[in-house]
Amino acid sequence: MANAVPKHIGIIMDGNGRWAKKKHLPRVLGHQQGAKTLDKLLNDARGMGVEHITVYAFSTENWKRTEDEISGIMGILREYINKYFRDYANSDFRVDSVGDLTALTEDLQRDIARLKEVSKDRTGIHLTIAMNYGSRDEIKRAVQKIAQEVKDGKLEVSDITEELISDHLDSAGTPDPELIIRTSGELRTSNFLLWQSAYSEYYITDKLWPDFTIDDLKDAIKAYQNRDRRFGGRNEVSK
Ligand code: IPE
Ligand code: IPE
Ligand code: MG
């Protein structure tokens, strides 16, 4: 039997640079087009039954890029966060983030906090933006929080379960993604949702992120629906 539509999809939005290069444009225009693609996709995905979407916008490793490119990406993040804030009366998205926001500028941190606050009771798609996000960093911070709680006598070592660890990650409260999509063909996770994707299905497409459309999303969901998810068990009728 086909799997249901995934409730949570993670997207590694890769290929903005290659898209720009192909068109002889500066990389930042690739990021600009990538943001437009996401904006359109979120609107087109309404009503499909997908409840949570987590998008990888900026990784803990992306600070290795040039100052120009980083400030271009941060400017686009600010622009879209403010756009969603301005449009909030007409929008039903709930916006969240994962990642260590303390490394972002104070005004960006404030804008994100403000958008999270105004959108927290909305019932449309729950959009989580991964900003200055790295799974290893997220797990490290979770371990630090847990260790502090043990030190303070609020937890026993034996209270540390898989569920407790999940609850200390930035993604606490959001179910694990059933499907992770990566555009632009790279066969790696690049530090995205390592803990949460233990049993996610991966879908890799060669499409560059700025060219990704709702039909590509539907193809990814169809492929997911035909996967045999075994979770370490056996689905065939036992003989
Ligand atoms: C993804 O596109 C966006 C970010 C990493 C911020 P890239 O900028 O990585 O695009 P490519 O991989 O160079 O084509
Ligand atoms: C992953 O893409 C990060 C984002 C899409 C934000 P990268 O382009 O940074 O990943 P690598 O360098 O190819 O692994
Ligand atoms: Mg890339």
Side-chain angles (χ1 to χ4, degrees), residues 161-181:
T161 59
E162 292 185 10
E163 199 187 354
L164 183 114
I165 294 172
S166 292
D167 288 344
H168 283 76
L169 296 174
D170 299 342
S171 59
T174 304
D176 290 340
E178 294 97 327
L179 171 64
I180 294 186
I181 297 171

Side-chain angles (χ1 to χ4, degrees), residues 11-15 18 27 56-59 61-62 65 130 182 186 188-190:
I11 309 181
I12 302 173
M13 308 184 292
D14 198 16
R18 276 164 277 182
R27 289 182 68 88
Y56 208 2
F58 192 85
S59 77
E61 288 72 34
N62 288 147
R65 301 199 178 189
R182 182 166 188 149
E186 309 296 353
R188 53 177 170 259
T189 65
S190 301

Side-chain angles (χ1 to χ4, degrees), residues 34-44 80 83-84 93:
K36 275 192 200 156
T37 294
L38 175 63
D39 196 32
K40 178 153 181 8
L41 189 76
L42 290 170
N43 277 301
D44 293 346
Y80 276 81
K83 171 179 147 46
Y84 285 122
F93 294 111

